Amino acid sequence: MNSERILILIKPDGVRRNLTGEVLRRIEAKGYTLENIRMAEATPQILAEHYSELVDKSFYPSIVDYMTSGPLVAAIFTGQRVIEGVRSLAGATDPTTAAPGTIRGDLARDWGSDSVENIIHASDCPENAEKEIALWFAKVQAQR
Ligand code: TYD
């Protein structure tokens, strides 16, 4: 049986706060396999594809500001039920109420900014994972 894949992003707050290694460590320690990793810069065009389901939301402009505020890390992990497993490790969207023990619950908080700063993006289904892998590993220019 083919192994499932997930695309994760360590968002600019995670990179800025030197949490890249900690986030990767938790996913690796759970037992998932790192298949590929790179640094990248988000652009409004890439984000419109990545967050195509959110572009009409009132908070979308603040997401663009946040996600373009610095470099991020994109990584692909593989394993049986990796999407379910990594999303469980990530925790709830709102870092204030995300459960202790999760990446967002342990490492993120509300800083009073317009956007929810929650350290990690994790694909929510196999179709979106493959779409996001193509986006971040083929379309985005390599960080120089
Ligand atoms: P979503 O896909 O709903 O959450 P998740 O990342 O947990 O799968 O939303 C994508 C991102 O959009 C989320 O990580 C943070 C941001 N966001 C806001 O800034 N404000 C909001 O009200 C929501 C719902 C999301």
Side-chain angles (χ1 to χ4, degrees):
M1 178 175 165
N2 282 342
S3 200
E4 187 173 273
R5 302 203 292 176
I6 190 170
L7 182 283
I8 70 138
L9 298 176
I10 300 170
K11 298 180 180 183
D13 56 327
V15 173
R16 198 156 40 233
R17 293 178 54 216
N18 300 320
L19 293 169
T20 299
E22 173 64 15
V23 172
L24 296 173
R25 187 197 66 74
R26 289 177 180 224
I27 299 171
E28 286 195 300
K30 176 85 170 173
Y32 299 121
T33 302
L34 180 63
E35 180 185 299
N36 205 346
I37 188 165
R38 66 176 298 189
M39 295 202 76
E41 297 266 7
T43 63
Q45 292 76 15
I46 290 292
L47 291 170
E49 291 192 51
H50 179 80
Y51 283 131
S52 60
E53 286 152 25
L54 298 179
V55 288
D56 295 328
K57 302 281 188 192
S58 60
F59 55 81
Y60 184 71
S62 66
I63 292 181
V64 176
D65 288 346
Y66 164 44
M67 293 294 287
T68 58
S69 67
L72 49 78
V73 172
I76 303 168
F77 280 92
T78 64
Q80 305 301 327
R81 299 172 68 192
V82 66
I83 292 175
E84 197 179 353
V86 170
R87 286 182 66 84
S88 175
L89 288 180
T93 305
D94 178 358
T96 300
T97 56
T102 65
I103 291 166
R104 289 162 167 173
D106 287 351
L107 306 176
R109 53 162 282 193
D110 188 339
W111 298 94
S113 49
D114 290 338
S115 178
V116 173
E117 298 192 18
N118 59 9
I119 304 273
I120 183 171
H121 165 81
S123 312
D124 63 1
C125 65
E127 295 73 23
N128 283 343
E130 294 306 318
K131 187 190 88 173
E132 292 167 6
I133 287 167
L135 188 61
W136 290 98
F137 280 85
K139 288 196 185 179
V140 177
Q141 281 278 325
Q143 173 86 4
R144 292 176 207 285

